[in-house]
Amino acid sequence: MDIRRALSHFSENRSRPIPPRDIIIDTDPGQDDAAAILLALASPEEINVLGITAVAGNVPLPLTSKNTRIVCELAGKVDVPVYAGCASPMTRDLVTAEHVHGKTGLDGPVLPDPIMPLQDTHAVDFIIETLRSRPTGTVALCPLGPLTNIATALKRAPDIAGHVQEIVLMGGAYFEVGNITPAAEFNIYVDPEAADIVFKSGIKITVMPLDVTHKVLVTPTRIKALRDTQTKVCSAMADMVDFFERFDTDKYGSNGAPLHDPCVTAYLIQPDLFTGRHINVEIETQSDLTLGMTVADWWGVTDRAPNAMFMGDVDAQGFFDLLTERLARL
Ligand code: RIB
Ligand code: CA
């Protein structure tokens, strides 16, 4: 190809828009899950949500599958298929977090019960069928809760591991250590066996641990910015945060709630908001003392092979500017 044709080819490609990423969101709403789902649904240029799968976590499955649809209807996106998944961890009893999210899991705003139906297909079957039916490497999985649905799909259909483009998940902690026990973050703690399967799957993984999510605090100024948009969605989000922040402000004395889960969708939209290291991360599944701990080799002191991009820092104001601008679109 001569230089003129090469340059025209290059300039043509530069002008061609990058297509949105096809993703499946796996979630346990949860006010911060709601923020992540709303951010994804407000960003069709970057994200195409193929479906949302609910998992037991913050509250039991009947509530997480109901809350997922409440959030889709709040966003006015009733055409997004929602699937109910696993009602309990792979081998353990379910641990929930009503003390953080309230008894509904979405305490704060008064929102109507959903009208949109749940899909008949089980979430795990949807994950397997979607990955098998679409071109390899074109679908990203975005878990925001315990990894039960994802790990169950990998165990039932090991072939799908080669189909996944990337897993971008919220979970774990290193410098921040635990939020549900002294050693473990909630999503990993609830189903450590599931997390162990995912982190040993060989799939490209990007992790949003408490180390970054505890840096994206919804301060009073940021709540005001949400309310100042004077939109229904941002007002509901501010009401959710007003409730959700109590746990962290009481426990940590922090100046607002950490918005854990929207770090995942913000990364899909603007990855340069985050920095981290590609390191080895393994999951404690044996010790009662440190069950669910993400043993992150941040300092490279072992010869264990790196298996995850573990995020350590974030441009918090850039994150909130993005979140507020996008949610105001809905
Ligand atoms: O530890 C925080 C995580 O646990 C968040 O995903 C929150 O929604 C809960 O699922
Ligand atoms: Ca969650």
Side-chain angles (χ1 to χ4, degrees):
M1 186 187 291
D2 68 40
I3 187 65
R4 282 186 303 281
R5 283 187 60 203
L7 285 174
S8 66
H9 179 70
F10 174 73
S11 60
E12 182 187 301
N13 276 343
R14 272 169 59 112
S15 61
R16 191 177 299 149
I18 299 171
R21 293 183 67 171
D22 288 335
I23 75 168
I24 295 173
I25 296 174
D26 188 71
T27 182
D28 64 334
Q31 292 87 347
D32 60 317
D33 300 70
I37 295 166
L38 291 167
L39 179 55
L41 297 178
S43 307
E45 311 96 317
E46 295 94 353
I47 298 172
N48 176 37
V49 181
L50 299 176
I52 306 179
T53 53
V55 67
N58 285 320
V59 287
L61 181 68
L63 283 173
T64 59
S65 51
K66 173 183 176 185
N67 292 343
T68 301
R69 288 175 288 148
I70 287 174
V71 174
C72 288
E73 291 187 355
L74 174 64
K77 307 291 184 185
V78 295
D79 55 338
V80 176
V82 175
Y83 303 82
C86 299
S88 63
M90 296 183 94
T91 60
R92 296 174 185 272
D93 293 337
L94 178 62
V95 172
T96 53
E98 288 86 350
H99 62 291
V100 179
H101 300 275
K103 65 179 173 46
T104 73
L106 215 51
D107 283 27
V110 177
L111 296 171
D113 284 351
I115 296 169
M116 65 187 285
L118 268 179
Q119 299 299 309
D120 294 335
T121 304
H122 189 282
V124 172
D125 294 325
F126 167 72
I127 292 167
I128 294 169
E129 289 159 15
T130 303
L131 287 168
R132 282 178 170 164
S133 63
R134 286 178 171 266
T136 294
T138 61
V139 177
L141 302 180
C142 299
L144 311 176
L147 292 164
T148 315
N149 286 342
I150 309 300
T152 302
L154 287 168
K155 190 173 179 184
R156 191 183 301 170
D159 60 290
I160 64 171
H163 291 246
V164 180
Q165 178 190 64
E166 179 179 17
I167 293 177
V168 185
L169 67 89
M170 191 278 141
Y174 180 60
F175 293 100
E176 282 295 297
V177 211
N179 61 356
I180 187 74
T181 74
E185 177 278 327
F186 179 80
N187 287 341
I188 309 299
Y189 176 74
V190 169
D191 201 340
E193 285 73 20
D196 192 42
I197 288 170
V198 170
F199 277 81
K200 287 177 178 171
S201 67
I203 297 169
K204 180 184 176 187
I205 297 175
T206 297
V207 182
M208 294 292 163
L210 297 180
D211 302 68
V212 290
T213 70
H214 277 186
K215 293 175 182 173
V216 287
L217 301 178
V218 197
T219 61
T221 303
R222 290 163 177 165
I223 292 184
K224 183 180 182 303
L226 279 170
R227 294 198 184 281
D228 285 351
T229 66
Q230 297 188 338
T231 66
K232 179 186 71 166
V233 169
C234 288
S235 169
M237 192 69 249
D239 291 345
M240 287 184 207
V241 169
D242 278 342
F243 178 88
F244 169 62
E245 71 174 8
R246 298 171 198 178
F247 171 77
D248 289 84
T249 51
D250 291 351
K251 174 176 178 180
Y252 297 102
S254 51
N255 186 26
L259 268 191
H260 308 286
D261 293 336
C263 287
V264 169
T265 32
Y267 174 78
L268 297 175
I269 298 165
Q270 204 174 325
D272 60 3
L273 287 171
F274 302 90
T275 56
R277 292 182 184 180
H278 190 232
I279 60 172
N280 177 269
V281 180
E282 302 208 3
I283 311 299
E284 176 57 67
T285 60
Q286 303 303 314
S287 159
D288 289 340
L289 185 63
T290 56
L291 184 69
M293 184 175 192
T294 45
V295 183
D297 189 6
W298 183 264
W299 302 110
V301 297
T302 76
D303 57 1
R304 295 197 288 259
N307 60 340
M309 185 64 191
F310 196 84
M311 292 302 178
D313 209 352
V314 56
D315 168 1
Q317 192 53 49
F319 167 85
F320 276 99
D321 291 346
L322 174 69
L323 182 72
T324 305
E325 181 265 324
R326 293 295 170 98
L327 264 55
R329 291 177 169 184
L330 294 171

